[in-house]
Amino acid sequence: MSYNIEQLEIGQNAEFSKTISESDVYLFAGVTGDMNPAHINAEYSKDSVFNQRVVHGMLSASLISTVLGTELPGRGTIYLQQEVKFVAPVHFGDTITATVEVLEKNIKKNRVKLRTVCTNQEGQVVVDGEAIVIPPKKS
């Protein structure tokens, strides 16, 4: 389902959850080229601020794009802007839920502002921010 600007309502929300595996992290590192040892080297990470490997922040934040492009507003959405704050680390095996909520609509410009949040399986916020998108046109 997709929602055009007229169909979207302030407060409307949607979410997507995924458990982040070790292979997800290695695949993300390969696709992006981000081979930071904080993400891929267990021995190195023992002496890091987190004492273990952590998931790339942008891997967690990318789950927001899944919600935008598949649920709210849905297929055909164009992602224009994302403000993101990494609040807490994500560890291998964490289940991350990305949630988006409609905050504002600008009907004249066909723009929607959304709150974007990722939480872990304990409900702790790990990513917080806002996005601006162009929702799909009327069917």
Side-chain angles (χ1 to χ4, degrees):
M1 172 109 195
S2 296
Y3 299 91
N4 64 49
I5 194 128
E6 288 85 12
Q7 295 169 317
L8 291 167
E9 309 234 351
I10 304 301
Q12 186 175 356
N13 63 67
E15 63 184 35
F16 171 78
S17 296
K18 176 171 179 45
T19 301
I20 308 296
S21 69
E22 183 173 30
S23 62
D24 292 327
V25 173
Y26 280 101
L27 288 168
F28 189 84
V31 166
T32 64
D34 182 352
M35 301 293 179
N36 184 334
H39 307 303
I40 61 171
N41 185 318
E43 192 60 37
Y44 171 90
S45 298
K46 288 179 184 176
D47 295 325
S48 73
V49 66
F50 301 114
N51 299 319
Q52 61 182 305
R53 293 178 296 171
V54 294
V55 174
H56 298 79
M58 291 306 292
L59 173 54
S60 302
S62 71
L63 299 179
I64 295 164
S65 182
T66 302
V67 181
L68 297 176
T70 65
E71 297 290 332
L72 185 71
R75 291 177 13 149
T77 297
I78 304 299
Y79 211 159
L80 292 179
Q81 181 178 328
Q82 178 71 56
E83 176 185 299
V84 65
K85 181 177 180 184
F86 300 106
V87 180
V90 173
H91 302 288
F92 291 44
D94 281 355
T95 299
I96 303 303
T97 300
T99 305
V100 302
E101 177 186 357
V102 177
L103 295 177
E104 298 174 16
K105 298 185 337 177
N106 183 330
I107 293 172
K108 285 185 179 182
K109 290 187 175 183
N110 193 34
R111 303 289 189 270
V112 179
K113 182 186 228 181
L114 303 126
R115 173 129 193 260
T116 55
V117 179
C118 294
T119 55
N120 64 18
Q121 65 279 359
E122 296 166 2
Q124 179 184 23
V125 173
V126 296
V127 176
D128 195 9
E130 291 184 352
I132 296 177
V133 301
I134 301 173
K137 294 182 179 183
K138 294 180 185 179
S139 304

